[in-house]
């Protein structure tokens, strides 16, 4: 029997929207799928990665969850930015400067790093997602700036997305079973 809850937990939706979209893009960044595959990422980024995370963020706001609201709304907006960037650049409506994209990714890495600090008081699963996402953004940003390769960022991004999907599945399965079936771990840093 599923847990008796008054409202649904929006986090699993936000996590799977983020994770699945991240895995697909990271397979391209890692060179596993061809770069032409970005045309498949574009609608996924807008419809699933972006919109579902924004929706989850709004629901987290209603739940009073500042962390969930900030995370899902921000990364949902990231996917909209990325999708629009692909759309506008692909149609010649704007030119994309790799240096500016690199700095943007580094700034997302900075944002993700401070969100990671908050996860020390949440659980190991989220701690792992935000740690690997911080590293992913830093590697991709440095790669776009010419310091190293973005391919490594793609591989870490695959891990990041899979961790997010794992955390989503844990929250859904544990709710459905009304007990811990898929562990997410306790707080990495207790009082």
């Amino acid at each position: 029997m599923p847990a008796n809850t008054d409202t649904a937990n929006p986090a699993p939706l936000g996590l799977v929207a983020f994770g699945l979209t991240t895995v697909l893009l990271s397979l391209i960044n890692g060179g596993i799928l061809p770069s032409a595959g970005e045309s498949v990422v574009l609608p996924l980024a807008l419809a699933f990665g972006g919109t579902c995370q924004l929706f989850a963020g709004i629901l987290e706001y209603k739940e009073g969850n500042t962390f969930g609201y900030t995370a899902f709304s921000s990364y949902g907006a990231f996917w909209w930015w990325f999708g629009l960037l692909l759309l506008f650049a692909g149609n010649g409506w704007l030119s994309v400067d790799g240096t500016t994209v690199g700095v943007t990714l580094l700034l997302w890495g900075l944002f993700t790093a401070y969100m990671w600090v908050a996860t020390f008081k949440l659980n190991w699963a989220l701690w792992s997602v935000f740690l690997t996402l911080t590293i992913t953004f830093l590697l991709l940003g440095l790669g776009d700036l010419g310091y190293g390769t973005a391919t490594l960022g793609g591989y870490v991004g695959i891990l990041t997305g899979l961790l997010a999907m794992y955390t989503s599945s844990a929250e859904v399965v544990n709710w459905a079973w009304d007990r811990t079936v898929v562990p997410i771990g306790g707080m990495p840093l207790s009082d």
Side-chain angles (χ1 to χ4, degrees):
M1 169 75 61
N4 184 11
T5 53
D6 292 331
T7 60
N9 177 1
L13 172 63
L15 285 162
V16 74
F18 168 79
L20 194 144
T21 310
T22 299
V23 168
L24 184 60
L25 178 60
S26 296
L27 287 167
I28 295 168
N29 288 337
I32 297 167
L33 292 177
S35 61
E38 283 187 344
S39 63
V40 176
V41 175
L42 172 61
L44 186 67
L46 296 175
F48 195 49
T51 302
C52 284
Q53 279 193 91
L54 287 170
F55 185 65
I58 291 166
L59 293 175
E60 289 284 18
Y61 175 84
K62 291 182 62 106
E63 292 293 318
N65 182 344
T66 300
F67 179 85
Y69 166 68
T70 304
F72 292 132
S73 298
S74 297
Y75 296 114
F78 168 85
W79 282 116
W80 269 92
W81 165 79
F82 182 77
L84 291 172
L85 185 69
L86 288 179
L87 180 65
F88 293 164
N91 286 300
W93 299 339
L94 58 83
S95 61
V96 177
D97 174 61
T99 303
T100 306
V101 171
V103 170
T104 303
L105 293 172
L106 290 176
L107 289 170
W108 276 101
L110 178 63
F111 166 70
T112 304
Y114 86 66
M115 293 296 286
W116 174 63
V117 171
T119 67
F120 279 81
K121 300 300 278 181
L122 299 175
N123 60 60
W124 280 104
L126 288 173
W127 183 90
S128 301
V129 170
F130 280 83
L131 173 63
T132 56
L133 183 56
T134 300
I135 295 167
T136 299
F137 276 130
L138 294 176
L139 290 171
L140 292 173
L142 290 171
D144 280 352
L145 292 172
Y147 302 104
T149 175
T151 304
L152 183 57
Y155 285 110
V156 178
I158 294 167
L159 176 61
T160 301
L162 291 174
L163 287 168
M165 292 174 72
Y166 170 87
T167 306
S168 171
S169 71
E171 296 212 13
V172 171
V173 170
N174 294 345
W175 172 84
W177 285 77
D178 198 21
R179 64 183 174 90
T180 300
V181 175
V182 181
I184 59 172
M187 283 190 298
L189 186 64
S190 59
D191 292 329

